[in-house]
Amino acid sequence: MAPIGEVVLIVLAILAFLLLVAGVAVYLLVKVGKKAATKAKQATTRLATHVNAMGPGDAAEVERLRLDLRREVSLTRQAIDQAHGRGWHLGDLPRLMADLSSQAEVHDGQLGMYAQQRRMSPYVDHATLDRLREHQAKLTSMCARIRADLLGDQVHHAATGIDDLHARTELEIESRRPAPDPLDEIDRLYSRERKDLS
């Protein structure tokens, strides 16, 4: 009777282990599924924006503004990340970029809402479109200024490195030249002095 109890206990332990593994697998599948659904939704939104930007009219223009803003923010974020990766002093620039990204998302939502309303209704609110264009110009201008400043820093760092490398190259080339023989130098000076006397 004891061996049967042990077998049942082993089978129950194996079943419990398999249930635990199955539970972890289901949890991971649900987590991965949620991430995939989020990524798919973002890709669908981006694709719809690209398709809508190809047409004529105000709605397409607004979609192009959205794409332009996203590109500007992405380029600026990449520039800041590269500068941060190189160890440059950025001050409060990363925090400023976070605020700018947040504001760009709000503006992107406003542009999307305007484009959607414009596609559904033939009536245009030109005052709102003009304000959206102004906000767009300010946001893209800020991104461009940040990138220009970072590029200036990059050129400065590169110039410092190039100047240092140039000086080292000159020293290395000079050190490879044979040192003049002091006796040859004395002979040359003596010959010149004799010529001057004659």
Side-chain angles (χ1 to χ4, degrees), residues 84-104:
H84 181 70
R86 292 178 180 154
W88 297 353
H89 175 68
L90 297 175
D92 203 31
L93 208 53
R95 179 68 197 142
L96 178 67
M97 187 64 214
D99 293 343
L100 191 129
S101 296
S102 174
Q103 190 61 47

Side-chain angles (χ1 to χ4, degrees), residues 58-71:
D58 290 337
E61 177 194 351
V62 169
E63 295 292 354
R64 287 189 291 273
L65 290 175
R66 292 178 76 190
L67 292 173
D68 185 47
L69 181 63
R70 289 175 187 169
R71 183 182 66 247

Side-chain angles (χ1 to χ4, degrees), residues 114-160:
Y114 182 87
Q116 182 181 14
Q117 290 174 5
R118 183 64 186 103
R119 280 190 296 274
M120 293 179 167
S121 171
Y123 303 107
V124 184
D125 180 6
H126 289 291
T128 301
L129 181 56
D130 288 341
R131 295 230 12 218
L132 288 172
R133 285 179 184 140
E134 286 176 24
H135 294 166
Q136 173 85 10
K138 287 179 183 176
L139 288 169
T140 55
S141 172
M142 284 186 275
C143 288
R145 289 190 65 202
I146 290 170
R147 286 197 316 274
D149 183 62
L150 289 173
L151 183 59
D153 282 353
Q154 184 178 11
V155 169
H156 173 72
H157 284 286
T160 303

Side-chain angles (χ1 to χ4, degrees), residues 29-45:
L29 285 174
V30 168
K31 194 171 184 176
V32 168
K34 284 182 180 179
K35 283 185 179 180
T38 303
K39 295 277 185 185
K41 184 177 179 182
Q42 290 172 349
T44 304
T45 303

Side-chain angles (χ1 to χ4, degrees), residues 62 66 103-115 132 135:
V62 169
R66 292 178 76 190
Q103 190 61 47
E105 286 178 21
V106 170
H107 183 66
D108 183 66
Q110 292 168 349
L111 289 170
M113 193 178 346
Y114 182 87
L132 288 172
H135 294 166

